């Protein structure tokens, strides 16, 4: 197996990619990353999913949180708070350097994909990490309280509001980042990482051309369930499945990917759903351990996904 394209959100995708680059040459991996979570913070461009992937693949990540930099300081944030600045979003001192660099380069006119490549190169990442688009794309969450910007919903309000709908502001006019469609076309396997299908994967597919490139590809498309035993490994995927009227299970996720993916990998805990998924959808389904608690589990899941792609 050589070229692999991965549709990626934040923590789950980053951990999967960390395993993948151990089992295939990193140069053959393209991570296509969500930017719907991006926001402006204190005048800086924050790109949480890109940074989660970058920090994880470089070994800089805070392992407990799955995002941010390990052992990061809070001096700037504490000072900013004391001045009455924004306090609900935690930006560590080391992490801040990334946002300063990105924002400065954006102001110089560099596209986000170029800046991401620069940052990744500087921290020693060998695979290709690209935002899905260089254009502005923002996830907006419709709740009983009205529309919320993504990080307002996710961090400020702790993902506690029922989600009535989602929209991806800017997606219709967004263009795929340079080389992205070619990476999908040339991929010998396409993996939909174990990310939130609504918050992480849908914004990628909302960029015109991306879904079309995935469905037009002859390469096998392997999707991995982010739901285990009716609960999300991380984040509000289960609550959103429920509030949008889907089955809160790997079956509910499989139905979402029917027609897009060829193979669906769910956790061994959910092995009893394999038959129903294969009967109800066009997906071939298989169970394996999907919880990535350490390097060996990450590698094993990557190997399982590649084996399914070659089967
Ligand atoms: N998540 C939180 O729950 N609270 C935070 O204060 C927070 C800050 C933060 C800063 C930089 C960054 O790259 C990520 C950060 N995250 C935080 C995580 C982020 O909101 C989510 O991981 C994603 O947007 C969802 O994939």
């Amino acid at each position: 197996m050589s070229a692999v394209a991965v549709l990626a959100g934040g923590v789950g995708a980053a951990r999967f990619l960390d395993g993948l680059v151990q089992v295939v040459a990193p140069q053959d991996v393209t991570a296509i990353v969500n930017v719907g979570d991006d926001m402006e913070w204190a005048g800086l461009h924050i790109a949480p999913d890109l940074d989660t992937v970058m920090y994880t693949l470089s070994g800089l990540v805070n392992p407990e949180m799955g995002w941010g930099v390990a052992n990061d300081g809070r001096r700037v944030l504490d000072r900013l708070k004391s001045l009455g600045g924004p306090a609900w979003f935690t930006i560590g001192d080391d992490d801040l350097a990334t946002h300063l660099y990105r924002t400065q380069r954006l102001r110089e006119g560099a596209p986000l994909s170029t800046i991401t490549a620069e940052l990744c190169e500087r921290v020693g990442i060998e695979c290709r990490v690209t935002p899905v688009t260089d254009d502005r794309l923002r996830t907006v969450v419709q709740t009983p309280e009205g529309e919320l910007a993504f990080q307002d919903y996710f961090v400020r309000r702790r993902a506690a509001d029922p989600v009535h709908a989602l929209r991806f502001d800017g997606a219709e006019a967004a263009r795929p980042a340079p080389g992205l469609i070619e990476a999908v076309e040339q991929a010998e396997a396409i993996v939909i990482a174990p990310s939130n299908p609504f918050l992480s994967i849908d914004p990628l597919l909302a960029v015109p051309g991306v879904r079309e490139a995935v469905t037009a590809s002859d390469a096998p498309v392997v999707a991995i369930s982010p739901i285990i035993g009716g609960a999300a490994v991380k984040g509000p995927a289960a609550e959103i499945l429920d509030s949008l009227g889907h089955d809160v299970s790997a079956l509910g996720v499989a139905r979402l990917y029917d027609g897009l993916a060829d193979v669906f990998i769910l956790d061994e805990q959910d092995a009893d759903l394999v038959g129903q998924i294969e009967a109800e959808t066009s997906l071939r389904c298989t169970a394996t351990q999907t919880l990535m608690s350490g390097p060996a589990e990450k590698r094993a899941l990557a190997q399982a996904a590649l084996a399914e792609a070659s089967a």
Side-chain angles (χ1 to χ4, degrees):
M1 177 73 55
S2 50
V4 185
V6 180
L7 303 189
V11 178
R15 290 182 175 155
F16 175 78
L17 285 160
D18 205 20
L20 186 64
V21 295
Q22 310 293 321
V23 298
V24 292
Q27 296 78 4
D28 289 334
V29 174
T30 300
I32 298 166
V33 182
N34 173 40
V35 291
D37 299 11
D38 288 19
M39 71 160 180
E40 288 281 313
W41 177 89
L44 302 175
H45 183 111
I46 315 292
D49 284 353
L50 283 169
D51 289 346
T52 295
V53 169
M54 178 174 77
Y55 293 149
T56 302
L57 291 176
S58 61
L60 286 167
V61 77
N62 177 329
E64 285 86 43
M65 309 306 285
W67 51 266
V69 176
N71 306 312
D72 210 349
R74 297 272 177 97
R75 288 195 56 163
V76 174
L77 188 68
D78 288 345
R79 190 80 191 128
L80 187 66
K81 274 186 202 172
S82 76
L83 298 173
W88 56 273
F89 200 71
T90 305
I91 295 290
D93 297 340
D94 287 353
D95 190 24
L96 183 62
T98 301
H99 313 310
L100 288 167
Y101 180 85
R102 177 186 295 118
T103 306
Q104 165 70 13
R105 293 285 290 126
L106 284 168
R107 293 215 175 119
E108 287 167 9
L112 186 60
S113 55
T114 302
I115 302 165
T116 303
E118 290 169 359
L119 286 165
C120 286
E121 201 250 327
R122 309 260 155 92
V123 296
I125 293 173
E126 292 175 298
C127 75
R128 180 166 175 205
V129 178
T130 177
V132 64
T133 180
D134 284 330
D135 299 319
R136 191 181 184 286
L137 188 166
R138 295 286 180 276
T139 298
V140 178
V141 187
Q142 291 171 20
T143 75
E145 301 304 311
E147 287 203 328
L148 299 173
F150 178 78
Q151 297 293 351
D152 267 353
Y153 155 78
F154 194 83
V155 173
R156 198 203 291 248
R157 297 173 65 89
R158 296 168 197 277
D161 300 272
V163 174
H164 286 172
L166 292 150
R167 67 180 180 84
F168 307 112
D169 198 30
E172 275 173 30
R175 292 150 303 171
L180 184 160
I181 297 296
E182 291 78 359
V184 172
E185 283 170 356
Q186 286 157 19
E188 286 161 64
I190 299 169
V191 180
I192 302 176
S195 296
N196 187 312
F198 305 105
L199 301 179
S200 300
I201 305 301
D202 277 352
L204 306 177
L205 300 172
V207 174
V210 175
R211 179 188 287 274
E212 294 76 4
V214 173
T215 48
S217 165
D218 289 334
V221 180
V222 180
I224 304 169
S225 176
I227 296 282
I228 302 180
V233 177
K234 206 170 188 324
E239 290 77 6
I240 300 179
L241 277 165
D242 189 36
S243 64
L244 294 180
H246 300 280
D247 206 76
V248 185
S249 67
L251 170 65
V253 179
R255 286 178 180 144
L256 298 172
Y257 291 142
D258 193 16
L260 178 70
D262 303 302
V263 184
F264 189 70
I265 295 181
L266 45 63
D267 193 76
E268 54 198 1
Q269 281 183 44
D270 295 319
D272 56 335
L273 293 172
V274 167
Q276 194 181 351
I277 289 172
E278 291 199 334
E280 230 191 76
T281 69
S282 62
L283 296 159
R284 184 157 58 76
C285 184
T286 181
T288 191
Q289 185 182 333
T290 61
L291 201 60
M292 295 173 281
S293 31
E297 290 80 6
K298 290 177 189 171
R299 272 198 306 274
L301 183 58
Q303 252 149 0
L306 296 180
E308 285 307 320
S310 332

